[in-house]
Amino acid sequence: GPRGDLYIITKVAAHPFFQRKGDDIFTVVPVTITEAALGAKVEAPTIDGSRALLKIPPGTASGQKFRLREKGVTSLKTGRRGDQYVEVRVHVPKVADERSKEILRELSHLNPEDPRAELYRNL
């Protein structure tokens, strides 16, 4: 055919669990209540297809973010890799049996906390 310009139109679909912002990657990893409360080492997926070991400290709250250094995208400008940020999301199980309910009630009595106390302190 005749010479001319070639136009290529691409569409990039969103990834199911990675989100890119610049050279950094963001993802969410679910953890159990016990892993968040007691601390644990969990695996987090990386864009390389491998898994990175993430240390969850005791008392980690849902929504807390951790950084995995140089696990992001390689910058075309600098050649350095960005970071990956992992948001921890605490998974609350559905309690179906009576024994599990009793254990949770006992835990509540042993650790009486009011997470909403700050909401009403200055009213």
Side-chain angles (χ1 to χ4, degrees), residues 34-48:
T34 52
E35 289 172 330
L38 301 175
K41 291 180 181 175
V42 299
E43 292 181 333
T46 66
I47 59 169
D48 298 331

Side-chain angles (χ1 to χ4, degrees), residues 34-110:
T34 52
E35 289 172 330
L38 301 175
K41 291 180 181 175
V42 299
E43 292 181 333
T46 66
I47 59 169
D48 298 331
S50 62
R51 297 176 184 181
L53 197 60
L54 180 64
K55 185 179 177 184
I56 306 293
T60 296
S62 191
Q64 193 167 342
K65 292 183 178 131
F66 298 94
R67 180 172 68 173
L68 299 172
R69 293 179 192 265
E70 298 182 359
K71 293 290 184 182
V73 178
T74 303
S75 171
L76 294 176
K77 294 178 183 176
T78 65
R80 297 181 66 201
R81 285 188 80 165
D83 297 326
Q84 179 174 341
Y85 293 90
V86 179
E87 179 182 337
V88 171
R89 190 134 329 132
V90 178
H91 173 75
V92 180
K94 292 181 178 158
V95 182
D97 63 287
E98 196 56 42
R99 175 74 177 123
S100 296
K101 290 178 185 179
E102 188 58 39
I103 290 171
L104 288 174
R105 286 186 196 106
E106 185 177 342
L107 178 64
S108 177
H109 289 350
L110 290 173

Side-chain angles (χ1 to χ4, degrees), residues 13-58:
H15 195 276
F17 49 85
F18 291 123
Q19 183 180 11
R20 181 178 177 175
K21 292 182 185 172
D23 296 331
D24 295 329
I25 296 293
F26 294 81
T27 190
V28 175
V29 172
V31 296
T32 65
I33 290 175
T34 52
E35 289 172 330
L38 301 175
K41 291 180 181 175
V42 299
E43 292 181 333
T46 66
I47 59 169
D48 298 331
S50 62
R51 297 176 184 181
L53 197 60
L54 180 64
K55 185 179 177 184
I56 306 293

